[in-house]
Amino acid sequence: MIAEGGLAALWIAAALALVQLTLGWGAARSGSEELITAVRRIAIAQGVLAALAFGILILLFLNSDMSVLLVATNSHSAKPLLYKFAGAWGNHEGSMLLWVTVLAVAGACVALFERRLPGKTLAATLGAQAAMALGFYAFIVFASNPFLRIDPPPPDGQGLNPLLQDPGLAFHPPALYFGYVGLSVAFSFAVGALVMRDVGPAFARAMRPWVLAAWIFLTIGITAGSYWAYYELGWGGWWFWDPVENASLMPWLAATALLHSVTVLATRDGLRAWTLMLALVAFAMSMLGTFLVRSGILVSVHAFAVDPTRGSFILALLGIYIGGALALFGARVGTIRQGSTFQLVSREGALVLNNLLLSVLLGIVFIGTLYPLVAQAMGQQLSIGPPFFNKAGIPVTLVLIVATMAGPLLKWRKDKWSELGRKMLVPAAAAITVTVMLLVVAPGISLNATLGLIAAGALAVASLVPLWKRNLRRTPMHIYGMVVAHLGVAVSIAGMASDAAFTQERLAAVRVGEVVTVGPFEAKLAEVRPTLGQNWSAVEAVLIVRKGDGKPFEINPQQRFFTDPVTTTSEAAIQTLWDGQLYTVIGAGEGSGKDARWQIRLWWKPFVTFIWFGGFLIAFGALLALVGRVRRERRSEEAYE
Amino acid sequence: MRRLLIWAPLALFVLVFGLVASGLFAPGERAVKSAMIGQPAPAFTLPALLPGKPGVDSKTFADGKPRLVNVFASWCGPCIAEAPQLMKMREMGIEIVGIATADTPEAMLGFLTRNGDPFTAIGDDRNRKVQFAFGSAGVPETFVIDGKGKVTYQHIGYVGPQDMPKLLEALAAAR
């Protein structure tokens, strides 16, 4: 009965979304206070019901209710509790239900907390949010119902893709989804604003926290996803320019641009049309990403749930919502008065440059991701891969870093080149210092890595400059947020460049007792032994590693064998030291007994951890900005009342 | 101008939508006829990428034996998908010469360890000059070269199980 309850909740939520759309339309036209209040309440009820349906799905997974098809095909009674829990969204149907739940709950939150927008605009926004939810409800109940029963139920179930049985991955997709769908709120705000022709600082201030929140989740999701791919896929890299990875990067780039342009709109009432466009593009990228991942039309190393019929459903939704919104944009944007103007050398100018460069980056990733599709339309299947992305993307990123340094040092509206030049002396000095250090310590590294390290050093210093000569106790929290986030970018770039410049790798076939060296490490294969987990068996290497004269430590890479379904995964073992990570993988064995040789791969990756540490710093900075902004708005509201 | 700019996003979207939809509903079958076919293979020498595995010299192509030239890379997703087919052809005794574009020995070693090594020689085409000389922009691509060093067949994209008969036929014809 529980599963049927979930389905019922979903249907009612869908019906409420329809009512919300209709009443939202009416309220936006008439402006009736009663209607607006009704729309708010319906949005809240819809959010609660969707959350209830998702809660029920989690309950079914926790109970291992094998009479539900989805549980039977994606869970196993012997699976650890955490993965039963995560199994609820580690599949197509569950993740779509999570998607619509986040969409509905986000709408409910807007209805609950949004007090700054005029009632009519709010009603239009909630109507747009309901229209989107409606499409996804239809998708779920007609094409991917998670509550379908199976008769007779299987005794144990089939398990979850072992690659997904990892604590990192249990929480990485929800984080990304919160980000993707969080951008739907910005999208709905833009649609609402276009419908009501009401674009200005108030609208930007209302939208900003939502963009920030979505961006925080996206940043965390991408960072966690990159680390997951790094340690779980066992190939020692942290970014593959895979379509699935790009699918999360594209909305992030658009949202990053949006985050900066919405600030221009909120503070200076500039960039009106551009900000609206970015809000539409950011969510369009989220949907496109979901489509690329779900339809499987591109070859990916992370091909999970792939189904062309479902792909066409998402594609149809993409066409209706994004096409519709862009048509609305075309029809309405001409009637939105132009905002205020500014000089080239100004904070706004730097932010426009930032936006343009981010758009170029987005364009590069977009073209690189979709190019194989163009080729496919002409009868070929191929990929263009990292050489393209690195060659095209790195120079743009380096210029973007310079813009990131300059932006916070400039005054709003109007500044002088000479002033900027004077302030840029500090990061320039840092750049020169790093250059000299690199020439002395590491002369042979690649140009890109050298430039990356120089840029990281200069940006790290530049990001702290805005705090210079400020009363630190009275500095607003969002300034700290910006400082921390920009510092995080510097840290991340330092990690990437360091990984590219200094990584050392060794692959060897070794007998037990033999020693392999990589970088400053000597690793002795002491033993290869079998070992057992809750739902897997494995062979495990015992590597005794010593760095110079240091204390030896043990490290245990594994090859795991899962029975339900039959899969082998290689579990890298990683030793994190203060100055980097030693990454070890055990591969196939050859021969038997004393002569058996095992393939051992070792990487020494100096400061590679900076990549992800920087990512979390960026997210933390954004969190500071969010909290700071919300508190400040609340205070000014109280003063007003 | 301004009006055009306003509608440009929608136009771009329609374009992309059409592309994506065609990718979904009509997986392309129209092969492009290459200008390389019937031409002698470009003259080049490539150093070895890996120790213990020779590089590639186009002069050896005129030794009377037909062979495959496979332009590939360790960073290329579809190359993983075609690896089993190449392994099968290697087992049939077909000589396969690899041209590794924009690659490094470390990455290549990992790729071959994971996906098998069907190559008798791998040339290090780090700056992609030879790849471009072959008229190839993306990877993977596979060429059939007859015993006189002439290109007789070109296959763009990955070699799937469905492409095997055609390739084998082309190899037989080149004999």
Side-chain angles (χ1 to χ4, degrees):
Chain A
M1 269 310 285
I2 297 179
E4 283 68 29
L7 192 57
L10 210 54
W11 272 103
I12 302 172
L16 285 180
L18 187 61
V19 178
Q20 184 180 331
L21 172 60
T22 324
L23 292 189
W25 175 264
R29 295 196 67 147
S30 68
S32 141
E33 281 299 323
E34 280 160 20
L35 268 184
I36 293 166
T37 311
V39 171
R40 272 185 194 267
R41 289 189 180 146
I42 291 166
I44 294 165
Q46 187 214 331
V48 169
L49 279 163
L52 179 69
F54 189 64
I56 285 173
L57 187 69
I58 290 178
L59 195 68
L60 292 171
F61 268 85
L62 289 180
N63 289 345
S64 289
D65 185 344
M66 295 301 165
S67 70
V68 175
L69 181 64
L70 190 67
V71 181
T73 47
N74 288 284
S75 195
H76 193 285
S77 39
K79 201 155 69 167
L81 191 68
L82 173 68
Y83 304 123
K84 284 186 185 169
F85 186 62
W89 58 76
N91 57 73
H92 167 80
E93 286 82 356
S95 64
M96 281 296 122
L97 183 57
L98 174 63
W99 174 287
V100 83
T101 302
V102 180
L103 198 66
V105 170
C109 288
V110 174
L112 263 175
F113 301 118
E114 190 47 62
R115 303 266 169 239
R116 285 154 294 195
L117 279 185
K120 279 178 155 190
T121 313
L122 179 72
T125 302
L126 287 175
Q129 191 78 1
M132 276 194 286
L134 207 52
F136 284 95
Y137 284 123
F139 180 38
I140 291 173
V141 295
F142 295 126
S144 37
N145 179 359
F147 297 110
L148 274 185
R149 293 278 190 184
I150 175 175
D151 190 34
D156 279 332
Q158 282 178 346
L160 169 76
N161 183 345
L163 278 178
L164 307 183
Q165 290 198 26
D166 177 89
L169 205 67
F171 296 102
H172 149 68
L176 267 186
Y177 269 31
F178 285 0
Y180 278 3
V181 185
L183 289 175
S184 75
V185 178
F187 179 88
S188 295
F189 267 98
V191 171
L194 277 168
V195 169
M196 301 315 298
R197 298 183 172 88
D198 175 20
V199 186
F203 154 78
R205 274 197 285 272
M207 183 163 88
R208 180 161 54 188
W210 297 96
V211 179
L212 264 171
W215 194 75
I216 291 168
F217 281 115
L218 269 181
T219 309
I220 291 174
I222 292 173
T223 306
S226 157
Y227 192 65
W228 169 78
Y230 168 78
Y231 75 77
E232 184 66 33
L233 297 181
W235 55 281
W238 53 273
W239 194 264
F240 199 73
W241 292 110
D242 182 87
V244 170
E245 293 171 350
N246 295 346
S248 65
L249 186 62
M250 288 191 283
W252 187 85
L253 288 170
T256 310
L258 174 60
L259 196 61
H260 291 92
S261 81
V262 85
T263 298
V264 176
L265 184 54
T267 320
R268 301 279 324 148
D269 195 15
L271 304 184
R272 287 179 171 182
W274 177 247
T275 303
L276 284 176
M277 188 76 243
L278 280 177
L280 302 186
V281 167
F283 184 63
M285 290 300 152
S286 298
M287 278 197 75
L288 183 72
T290 313
F291 167 74
L292 291 179
V293 175
R294 292 288 156 206
S295 66
I297 59 171
L298 292 173
V299 179
S300 158
V301 290
H302 326 249
F304 300 131
V306 159
D307 181 346
T309 37
R310 284 169 180 163
S312 56
F313 213 121
I314 302 182
L315 187 64
L317 294 181
L318 185 84
I320 295 168
Y321 297 137
I322 308 301
L326 288 175
L328 181 68
F329 179 86
R332 281 288 162 85
V333 79
T335 64
I336 290 164
R337 276 187 313 108
Q338 206 182 347
S340 61
T341 53
F342 49 84
Q343 304 259 317
L344 182 67
V345 184
S346 63
R347 177 77 67 88
E348 292 98 319
L351 287 172
V352 168
L353 181 63
N354 142 306
N355 266 240
L356 290 177
L357 290 166
L358 281 166
S359 306
V360 172
L361 269 182
L362 176 61
I364 290 170
V365 180
F366 186 79
I367 290 170
T369 308
L370 291 187
Y371 177 75
L373 213 58
V374 180
Q376 194 177 315
M378 294 189 283
Q380 314 162 1
Q381 189 163 19
L382 44 79
S383 76
I384 56 172
F388 165 78
F389 291 106
N390 292 343
K391 201 164 207 172
I394 289 175
V396 183
T397 309
L398 288 172
V399 182
L400 180 60
I401 293 170
V402 177
T404 313
M405 289 180 216
L409 305 180
L410 285 162
K411 289 198 196 79
W412 287 107
R413 210 160 64 85
K414 195 176 163 189
D415 207 332
K416 290 203 194 83
W417 278 112
S418 56
E419 274 292 298
L420 176 63
R422 204 172 54 81
K423 286 178 186 158
M424 285 294 271
L425 282 178
V426 185
I432 291 168
T433 314
V434 177
T435 314
V436 172
M437 270 167 59
L438 284 176
L439 283 176
V440 175
V441 183
I445 61 176
S446 75
L447 180 66
N448 277 339
T450 312
L451 291 175
L453 286 169
I454 294 170
L459 177 58
V461 172
S463 58
L464 295 174
V465 171
L467 293 179
W468 185 253
K469 285 188 181 162
R470 257 194 122 106
N471 182 340
L472 292 182
R473 290 186 50 193
R474 297 192 59 182
T475 302
M477 208 156 153
H478 67 261
I479 301 279
Y480 279 110
M482 177 186 75
V483 167
V484 171
H486 285 183
L487 193 62
V489 175
V491 170
S492 235
I493 297 216
M496 295 170 195
S498 171
D499 179 52
F502 306 120
T503 293
Q504 300 188 49
E505 183 181 13
R506 207 41 214 289
L507 171 76
V510 276
R511 292 193 188 85
V512 170
E514 287 180 343
V515 173
V516 198
T517 58
V518 62
F521 297 92
E522 285 188 346
K524 181 177 169 191
L525 181 62
E527 192 190 346
V528 177
R529 65 191 179 197
T531 178
L532 267 182
Q534 201 171 341
N535 59 347
W536 45 264
S537 62
V539 288
E540 179 177 274
V542 179
L543 288 167
I544 308 290
V545 186
R546 186 192 280 275
K547 184 182 183 185
D549 300 328
K551 206 164 147 258
F553 57 86
E554 186 185 318
I555 188 166
N556 308 103
Q558 296 176 337
Q559 279 259 31
R560 283 190 189 169
F561 309 102
F562 292 81
T563 46
D564 269 331
V566 179
T567 324
T568 312
T569 66
S570 81
E571 262 334 89
I574 299 171
Q575 181 78 17
T576 306
L577 305 162
W578 70 271
D579 57 347
Q581 287 187 326
L582 180 69
Y583 186 114
T584 64
V585 175
I586 178 171
E590 283 170 35
S592 59
K594 275 194 102 149
D595 286 331
R597 285 166 163 274
W598 299 89
Q599 279 191 353
I600 305 283
R601 281 172 79 94
L602 302 167
W603 281 273
W604 165 234
K605 296 178 159 290
F607 300 108
V608 68
T609 39
F610 277 32
I611 297 174
W612 307 290
F613 177 59
F616 286 114
L617 265 186
I618 296 171
F620 180 64
L623 183 66
L624 286 181
L626 176 62
V627 174
R629 293 282 188 202
V630 169
R631 283 212 326 220
R632 178 175 257 224
E633 302 257 323
R634 188 152 299 161
R635 225 173 297 142
S636 66
E637 240 166 64
E638 275 161 18
Y640 180 74
E641 281 160 9
Chain B
M1 181 60 205
R2 211 182 132 75
R3 280 192 74 82
L4 255 147
L5 217 61
I6 285 171
W7 292 101
L10 184 63
L12 189 69
F13 173 76
V14 170
L15 209 74
V16 171
F17 186 85
L19 170 71
V20 171
S22 77
L24 193 64
F25 297 115
E29 289 293 338
R30 292 165 289 145
V32 186
K33 186 117 162 91
S34 163
M36 281 307 291
I37 294 174
Q39 304 282 325
F44 65 91
T45 37
L46 282 179
L49 180 68
L50 299 175
K53 182 145 288 216
V56 184
D57 185 341
S58 60
K59 284 191 200 106
T60 58
F61 290 171
D63 62 356
K65 258 193 310 184
R67 74 196 76 218
L68 291 182
V69 171
N70 182 235
V71 180
F72 77 117
S74 65
W75 43 260
C76 142
C79 296
I80 299 171
E82 74 173 3
Q85 281 70 250
L86 295 187
M87 286 304 281
K88 222 173 269 167
M89 284 195 266
R90 178 78 203 120
E91 279 158 30
M92 292 173 184
I94 295 162
E95 188 178 333
I96 307 175
V97 168
I99 292 176
T101 70
D103 222 321
T104 62
E106 295 81 28
M108 178 53 68
L109 210 56
F111 177 82
L112 296 179
T113 319
R114 283 192 300 274
N115 304 301
D117 177 3
F119 303 103
T120 49
I122 298 180
D124 180 357
D125 187 22
R126 206 159 294 196
N127 50 22
R128 313 183 80 179
K129 272 202 184 128
V130 173
Q131 184 195 3
F132 295 141
F134 265 101
S136 148
V139 280
E141 279 194 31
T142 308
F143 299 86
V144 175
I145 304 211
D146 71 2
K148 298 188 204 82
K150 216 168 65 180
V151 179
T152 60
Y153 185 77
Q154 178 181 19
H155 178 85
I156 301 175
Y158 94 119
V159 177
Q162 72 282 1
D163 304 313
M164 290 282 277
K166 265 193 178 163
L167 262 181
L168 293 175
E169 202 179 293
L171 272 165
R175 215 169 281 277

